[in-house]
Amino acid sequence: MNAAIAQEYSGAPTGAPVYELTRVSKTYARNSVVALEDVSLTLRHGSFTSVIGSSGCGKSTLLKIMAGLIPPSKGRVILQSEPVTGPRRDIGMMFQQATLFPWKTAVENIVLPIEIRDGKAAAKNALEKAHELLDIVGLKGFENVYPNELSGGMAQRASICRMLITEPAVLLLDEPFSALDELSRDMMNMELQRICIEQDATAFLVTHSIQEAVILSDDIVVMKPRPGRIAEIVKVDLPRPRTLDMMTTPKFGEIVDHIRGMLDKGEEM
Amino acid sequence: MTDLHTNKPADTVTDEDTVWVQEIAFIDSVPRWIAMTFVFVVFIGTWQLVTSLGLVSPIILPTPMETLKDMIFVGTNLLSGGYMLGALWITIKEVIYGFALAIAIGFSLGVLVGETAFGEKAVMPYLVAIDTMPKVAFAPLFVAWLGFGIESKVALAAFIATFPIVVGTAAGLHAADENARMLFKTMGASRMQTLIKMKLPTGLPQIFTGLKIGAVGVMAGAITGEFLGGGKGFGELIRVAASQLNTPRVFSLILYLSLVGLALYLIVQWTQRKVVFWHKERVGAGDY
């Protein structure tokens, strides 16, 4: 497709493939809209991949297929050598809104996935781990606080914990911080990077922000709309751990410009 | 030298710099009880004025004093366990049974309509159709079916109170947003788990709104039932007093009856505050 894909670089994630999509297509039959066409993608263990594109490029469809929420019309979706045929506990997901339930305390919200899958007793046993996770995201002391008393950023931290409690193999992030103000957002992104490195997590992020994608990712999947397809996979070979200072480097600017140029082209089609 | 906090030369910061002060509306500075007392006094005063000037016949509108005297009489009768207490107890029983029945039926139908596609497609239209009927008109039917005892009153009370509870429950089950639904899906939650652990708690504010409207309706249903179907309840006392043109009695009976209605409403509201502790009501009669 493009020379950029073949390009080798030092920071490439070398882990084993965790998530493999092969020629995935999605057609909404009723109005024969092709939401996704021939998307092939591999997420390697420990890598951070972002997907970016204008609205209607099929990125949320792609995410829903990866999460096992909707089936693809064609193609194979394989996670940890098993085909995805529905929601799975080795998939962790996070949304734009924290979606914490106000009748449960922070820690009760975090063990909710365990409660749903394994029952109340298992959830009780997971409380200790929930406390540890809250500590990791800097919410120590807020265990028994109700979500109404948490700020937007704190709520998103808690929802990170809820995603991590089941020890998923892959984290699917659907614009997780786009509802936050820019200062909190930058901070949360750095926090996310730290957690991903600490947990050795494989992450997949849907975003509208080119800067966010570049600062966080190893690979950036740029998508084109109508039909939704991959335009290019851009490798980001900035060293890790990334810092916010890197946003001012020429290299960072170059990559941002490259992606912006591609997205602008996409608009004309 | 400048002050770090004001960005102004330090020696020029004085109180005189305050040239514009937030104005507070007069009503905001008045405590609620004073405002309420004011309205009460104006109301009673107007009432007294209209009756003492002889603008209306005493049969149509008694003076506040006559009404108060009768209230004391009725109150004494109630407290001393007189025949009125028995009547009031019958009405209270009708209200409680009616409300319990309305909650059971209303909640079940609400879940059917709000949770299942069948309920929404096939049952909801009929519920809407019945809801638009004047439900009081069914009273003679209930009397014919269930007799002159409390059963027919309970039925009418429950009939009136059921619909707001159905609507509240159905609306509550639709209150959960797309994110919460998706989250539960990704957690692999069953339909039952999604209903009990997410949709119902999310919808509790709406369900309680339905319960409150139902609590008001159940009272109206019980009294209407007694008006039209006889019996030995408080409604019957009102009907008899009215037929004797004993207007002060009608007024004081209504006031005592309204206390029962208020008590029921407050019980529902208190329960709501305990159960739905996370939800602050934005519209409401405020703090009692």
Side-chain angles (χ1 to χ4, degrees), chain A residues 110-151:
Chain A
I110 290 166
V111 297
L112 184 65
I114 307 268
E115 186 185 327
I116 296 285
R117 287 185 193 276
D118 307 323
K120 280 223 157 49
K124 214 166 184 187
N125 291 332
L127 280 178
E128 197 180 325
K129 195 170 163 219
H131 280 91
E132 280 168 29
L133 285 170
L134 277 168
D135 196 12
I136 289 175
V137 300
L139 280 181
K140 202 181 173 67
F142 289 91
E143 288 85 357
N144 300 316
V145 162
Y146 285 96
N148 284 349
E149 296 161 57
L150 298 175
S151 70

Side-chain angles (χ1 to χ4, degrees), chain A residues 64 69 87 93 95 97 99 101-103 112-113 115-117 120 146 148 162, chain B residues 177 179-180 182-189 193 197-198 201-202 277-279:
Chain A
K64 280 182 187 166
L69 290 172
M93 212 172 167
F95 305 100
Q97 259 74 40
T99 318
F101 297 105
W103 55 88
L112 184 65
E115 186 185 327
I116 296 285
R117 287 185 193 276
K120 280 223 157 49
Y146 285 96
N148 284 349
R162 181 179 57 200
Chain B
D177 65 8
N179 281 318
M182 210 135 75
L183 181 69
F184 262 68
K185 251 189 180 173
T186 62
M187 294 193 293
Q193 282 177 319
K197 289 182 190 289
M198 193 267 286
T202 305
F277 60 89
W278 64 88
H279 188 260

Side-chain angles (χ1 to χ4, degrees), chain B residues 183-226:
Chain B
L183 181 69
F184 262 68
K185 251 189 180 173
T186 62
M187 294 193 293
S190 68
R191 185 172 183 176
M192 204 49 152
Q193 282 177 319
T194 309
L195 178 65
I196 289 173
K197 289 182 190 289
M198 193 267 286
K199 286 188 183 177
L200 277 179
T202 305
L204 277 175
Q206 284 89 341
I207 294 175
F208 269 100
T209 303
L211 288 178
K212 282 186 191 169
I213 300 172
V216 176
V218 83
M219 198 73 211
I223 296 302
T224 312
E226 289 178 353

